Amino acid sequence: RPARPTVAMAPRRKAEVLPLLNPEKESSTPRTPGGSSLRAAGYTCGAVFWVVALGVGAALGFFLSHRVGWGVEQARAGPLDTRAAAEGHRERAVNHTRAPRPFVSRPKGPQTEAICADPPLLSNAGLVLPKCVAANNLLDELLDQVVLPFWLGPDGLGVDCDKGGFANLGLTPDTEGAGESWKLGERFLMPHARTAAAFAKLHASGAFADATDGGDAKDEMPWYYVNGESHPKCLSNGGALALARHALRFATESMRDEENGGYYWSVVASEPLGGKFVPSKSEKRLDALAAVLMASSEIVLAAENNSDAETEAAETADDAFALMMDESKHRDDAARGGYWPEILDEDWHLVAGVGIRGNPRTLAAHLLAMEALGAYVDSLVKRNAGDERVARAAAAL
């Protein structure tokens, strides 16, 4: 066999040429081909990176705060400059930059305090806010143009002139996800009583107080016109007090237990009885009774003295107060105080199977009772009901 030819091999590279993999024997620290330490190089690169990042951030913040207006000064409003507010804008420097303001919160002031937007902004409701406007004027516009049109519109309260009360409180029977109770036409006491109290307070504030029977529609609340009428035909006028009386009247005429006293939690129209409302949930609850007391007391406070509205509401308030003070019902003994049981059946007995643990004293119901009793005390004073009655109601509070 012939001899294999000799192949010349390249000499193996020395370890010193690869310092990253094989450091020199004299040093245990990896080094770059230039001989510098890798650790020192990393420190240098990191320092350069942070210096550049901080410089860019500072420049960007300076630009946004002085050119766009996203400075820290927007986070808190400074004290109101009355002279600048009267002129409709905040004082600016000659070079059209924002004048320096101390970083202090705006103190809470009266409702007539001016609210300034610089530059003018759009509200969540789409209203163009002027540079400076009194807080009460802004709230009046929101009430007239946003809140009331929502509640009084076709998908709002749904005043039911045929059966009384409201067909829906923000929901229609075919509303997706509304629940079977609304599809069955179930009507609850609490929303009706709360609505009555809210609109009575609205009338007492002076809003739409000029609405009268047969008066000008411009004095009424912003109703949606239905069948050519400026307000539902079953209301005497389109004012807030008329709506409050309508809500309370449904509670007293369709939700009151005429045999045992008190009010049902909810009712539903019965077709066999010609559409008459019958209880769907017949329990008697402390918070429902307190809501009726508050609604009727607020109507007394809002109505004119010796008017029909005041007389009707006063009778309802006196009846609700008497039920709350009856020890055979919600009123607890003097030793423990408060109100218990909060939930009773139709005959004012403990609900079967509930027991003490399932029928506790709740803070929510007692706070509502306190609120209602406070309004009732004020209504007694307005009616000149006498010191004895006022003192008894105040003691219950």
Side-chain angles (χ1 to χ4, degrees):
R1 176 179 297 182
R4 179 176 299 180
T6 303
V7 179
M9 301 295 291
R12 183 182 299 272
R13 299 179 65 181
K14 295 182 179 181
E16 292 76 13
V17 183
L18 301 175
L20 295 179
L21 299 178
N22 296 297
E24 297 179 359
K25 295 181 178 180
E26 294 78 9
S27 174
S28 61
T29 303
R31 297 182 177 275
T32 64
S36 61
S37 171
L38 283 182
R39 183 178 302 169
Y43 289 158
T44 304
C45 293
V48 172
F49 170 79
W50 283 112
V51 169
V52 174
L54 291 175
V56 173
L60 181 61
F62 178 83
F63 173 78
L64 292 178
S65 62
H66 287 76
R67 297 296 181 184
V68 182
W70 287 0
V72 181
E73 62 181 5
Q74 293 291 342
R76 293 184 179 180
L80 182 66
D81 187 343
T82 56
R83 182 176 63 84
E87 295 174 357
H89 60 84
R90 287 191 178 276
E91 184 179 3
R92 289 179 178 272
V94 179
N95 58 355
H96 301 288
T97 59
R98 285 182 173 82
R101 285 177 282 170
F103 298 113
V104 294
S105 299
R106 181 196 299 266
K108 295 182 180 179
Q111 61 180 352
T112 55
E113 180 183 359
I115 298 177
C116 296
D118 187 13
L121 303 174
L122 286 177
S123 69
N124 293 337
L127 300 178
V128 179
L129 302 180
K131 288 186 176 180
C132 286
V133 62
N136 55 345
N137 293 338
L138 177 61
L139 295 176
D140 287 341
E141 291 184 6
L142 292 176
L143 177 68
D144 297 346
Q145 302 179 30
V146 180
V147 178
L148 287 179
F150 170 78
W151 283 104
L152 305 179
D155 294 331
L157 294 173
V159 177
D160 191 344
C161 290
D162 297 327
K163 300 178 182 179
F166 307 107
N168 58 82
L169 286 167
L171 296 174
T172 56
D174 56 349
T175 301
E176 183 178 0
E180 293 299 323
S181 60
W182 289 100
K183 296 177 183 179
L184 296 175
E186 189 174 16
R187 302 187 183 182
F188 293 85
L189 175 65
M190 290 293 287
H192 283 78
R194 284 294 202 179
T195 300
F199 280 90
K201 289 183 178 180
L202 179 63
H203 178 84
S205 69
F208 311 104
D210 295 332
T212 56
D213 303 354
D216 197 333
K218 68 179 180 61
D219 297 327
E220 300 178 351
M221 293 188 294
W223 294 90
Y224 276 82
Y225 283 76
V226 180
N227 299 325
E229 301 289 342
S230 63
H231 61 270
K233 60 183 180 180
C234 54
L235 302 182
S236 58
N237 56 64
L241 184 60
L243 184 65
R245 295 182 64 188
H246 177 80
L248 183 62
R249 190 177 298 115
F250 178 77
T252 56
E253 294 180 356
S254 300
M255 307 192 75
R256 191 176 189 280
D257 185 351
E258 298 296 340
E259 180 178 354
N260 300 310
Y263 296 86
Y264 301 119
W265 182 249
S266 63
V267 294
V268 65
S270 174
E271 294 184 1
L273 298 178
K276 180 181 178 181
F277 285 98
V278 296
S280 54
K281 294 181 177 64
S282 59
E283 66 263 23
K284 310 292 176 61
R285 301 175 63 114
L286 172 64
D287 50 358
L289 186 60
V292 172
L293 176 61
M294 183 172 65
S296 54
S297 299
E298 292 293 348
I299 293 178
V300 171
L301 293 171
E304 295 182 0
N305 292 331
N306 302 321
S307 62
D308 293 339
E310 183 191 60
T311 302
E312 294 176 2
E315 293 178 357
T316 303
D318 293 340
D319 174 72
F321 178 73
L323 289 173
M324 289 184 65
M325 297 299 104
D326 191 342
E327 294 185 1
S328 64
K329 297 177 174 59
H330 291 297
R331 185 65 184 270
D332 202 358
D333 60 273
R336 292 177 292 182
Y339 297 91
W340 189 87
E342 292 185 6
I343 304 177
L344 298 169
D345 63 11
E346 185 175 356
D347 298 325
W348 299 99
H349 299 139
L350 273 174
V351 179
V354 173
I356 296 179
R357 291 183 178 273
N359 199 349
R361 301 169 189 249
T362 63
L363 179 62
H366 281 72
L367 288 177
L368 181 56
M370 292 173 61
E371 184 181 6
L373 289 170
Y376 181 65
V377 171
D378 293 337
S379 69
L380 291 177
V381 174
K382 177 179 179 290
R383 287 191 280 158
N384 296 321
D387 295 341
E388 183 178 354
R389 295 185 60 185
V390 172
R392 182 167 182 258
L397 173 61

